[in-house]
Amino acid sequence: MKHMRNMTGTLGIFILAGSLLIGCSPSASEATSIEASQKSQTRPYTDYLGHAGNIPVSPARIIYSGETFGDMLALGMKPIGGFGYTNQIFEDQLHDVENVGFPINLEKVLEFEPDLIIYANTEEKEYEQLAKIAPTVIFDTFAPLEERMTQLGDILGKPEIATKWLADYKRKSEEMWKKLKESGIMKEGETASVFTYYPGDRLFVMARTGLSQVLYDTNGFKPTAPIQEILDAQKGFELISVERLPEIAGDRIFILNTASEEAEKSTQELLKSRIWKDLPAVKNGYVYFIDIEKSSSDATTREWLLQRIPEILAK
């Protein structure tokens, strides 16, 4: 009998404890309210152009309008909108990402109800219009990878993920350049240059953007003196004349193919010219072609390029 009383008392304690736990646990509606409250929390943030404001602590509906969309994907974030990144190596991940246009379509942005806009354009008028729709951060997509990823990690509330990604990328990059030199495929101190044609017979040398960012790694190729001046001027690229190729071209030349028939025609005419044929890189067979869409400096594409560059150079 005494044993039965003890069991009953113990059972009562468990029932009482369970009741207290249930009473302390939030209901489904309360949990939803707490989650919504957390998402609505904001904090101060000042972008690189000095725009000060409040951004969400945990942004969820992000529109990212910039060249380095793959930075977001590398951090495990998929924006709800961008400006249409066709033929990118991460295109298969974009089926549910809305195209907000380029230039950006304000009506579409408003329709998608973002809680944060990350924008690469520096036009003050556009910034002011976007800031009326949602908290807006002007972002420098030409900035070095480490700087971009660190800033994005901060903006998205994912600094630890950004730090880990950068450490992993640095290790892989160092290994790639080391193997290229040890195998004799490239030599220490070699220079490289990246060119592309745009419609209108306009020849550009690339600097702080795209493939150049990858090639001019600390352990990679060096820019030629004229390209270094463009880099020092903080420019992404610069329009040049064909006549300047002999002074600008490096030991290795990379040509970015575009989808424009007009630009392709200009490229083919260049390849037939005497100026082109007399370049040391051309004579040595150190010319490489890659689609411009697959030469971005975004984090996701750069990981892919760590595998692709050795293949290109080995040809």
Side-chain angles (χ1 to χ4, degrees):
M1 191 70 174
K2 181 178 180 181
H3 178 64
M4 288 295 294
R5 282 199 300 269
N6 289 339
M7 288 183 62
T8 304
T10 302
L11 181 60
I13 291 172
F14 279 116
I15 293 173
L16 176 60
S19 299
L20 289 172
L21 285 172
I22 292 171
C24 292
S25 300
S27 64
S29 60
E30 288 173 331
T32 302
S33 178
I34 292 172
E35 183 179 355
S37 175
Q38 290 174 339
K39 288 183 178 180
S40 67
Q41 291 178 356
T42 61
R43 65 182 178 89
Y45 186 84
T46 302
D47 67 27
Y48 89 106
L49 289 184
H51 300 116
N54 292 318
I55 64 172
V57 172
S58 301
R61 295 183 57 79
I62 304 167
I63 287 179
Y64 186 98
S65 181
E67 292 83 359
T68 54
F69 190 93
D71 289 353
M72 297 284 290
L73 300 177
L75 294 179
M77 295 290 289
K78 183 182 290 188
I80 60 171
F83 59 52
Y85 303 89
T86 57
N87 300 322
Q88 304 283 332
I89 63 115
F90 47 77
E91 188 175 10
D92 60 342
Q93 301 181 52
L94 305 181
H95 63 278
D96 53 354
V97 176
E98 301 290 345
N99 187 350
V100 295
F102 183 79
I104 197 164
N105 186 316
L106 296 175
E107 291 182 0
K108 280 192 174 182
V109 173
L110 182 62
E111 176 187 343
F112 298 138
E113 299 180 345
D115 58 15
L116 178 66
I117 301 169
I118 300 176
Y119 195 48
N121 201 315
T122 58
E123 290 292 332
E124 283 297 318
K125 183 178 180 181
E126 290 186 355
Y127 167 79
E128 292 172 3
Q129 292 172 323
L130 290 169
K132 292 177 182 178
I133 298 174
T136 301
V137 171
I138 300 298
F139 191 68
D140 183 8
T141 57
F142 290 162
L145 178 69
E146 184 171 357
E147 183 179 323
R148 289 201 321 267
M149 296 298 276
T150 300
Q151 289 179 353
L152 270 183
D154 179 26
I155 293 170
L156 302 175
K158 296 179 177 290
E160 299 87 357
I161 295 177
T163 299
K164 183 181 183 305
W165 188 92
L166 283 167
D168 290 343
Y169 177 83
K170 182 180 179 181
R171 174 181 53 78
K172 294 174 185 176
S173 177
E174 289 175 348
E175 290 175 356
M176 182 199 74
W177 293 116
K178 182 179 179 181
K179 288 180 180 178
L180 285 172
K181 292 172 184 176
E182 288 179 345
S183 65
I185 292 178
M186 73 174 282
K187 299 175 183 177
E188 192 70 49
E190 277 192 279
T191 59
S193 49
V194 183
F195 302 100
T196 191
Y197 264 104
Y198 275 48
D201 199 34
R202 294 177 295 163
L203 177 62
F204 287 87
V205 58
M206 314 309 283
R208 291 182 74 221
T209 185
L211 181 62
S212 297
Q213 274 201 13
V214 186
L215 297 179
Y216 301 147
D217 181 89
T218 303
N219 302 296
F221 291 105
K222 308 300 179 186
T224 59
I227 295 176
Q228 185 60 59
E229 292 178 5
I230 301 170
L231 290 166
D232 292 342
Q234 301 295 300
K235 295 180 180 178
F237 43 81
E238 184 165 288
L239 178 65
I240 64 169
S241 64
V242 172
E243 289 71 24
R244 291 194 63 197
L245 277 175
E247 65 171 300
I248 296 176
D251 299 318
R252 312 272 185 152
I253 294 177
F254 293 80
I255 298 292
L256 306 182
N257 302 319
T258 71
S260 164
E261 291 185 5
E262 185 180 352
E264 175 60 21
K265 181 180 178 181
S266 296
T267 301
Q268 292 306 315
E269 290 177 355
L270 171 65
L271 300 184
K272 297 174 185 177
S273 70
R274 175 49 56 190
I275 289 179
W276 174 261
K277 292 180 179 179
D278 285 342
L279 295 174
V282 176
K283 291 182 177 180
N284 293 329
Y286 289 160
V287 178
Y288 316 95
F289 297 85
I290 183 172
D291 292 344
I292 194 169
E293 296 90 353
K294 294 178 172 57
S295 68
S296 173
S297 59
D298 72 87
T300 302
T301 302
R302 285 180 74 144
E303 283 192 296
W304 176 79
L305 283 170
L306 291 183
Q307 300 177 1
R308 187 72 182 111
I309 288 174
E311 296 173 356
I312 294 174
L313 296 179
K315 290 182 178 179

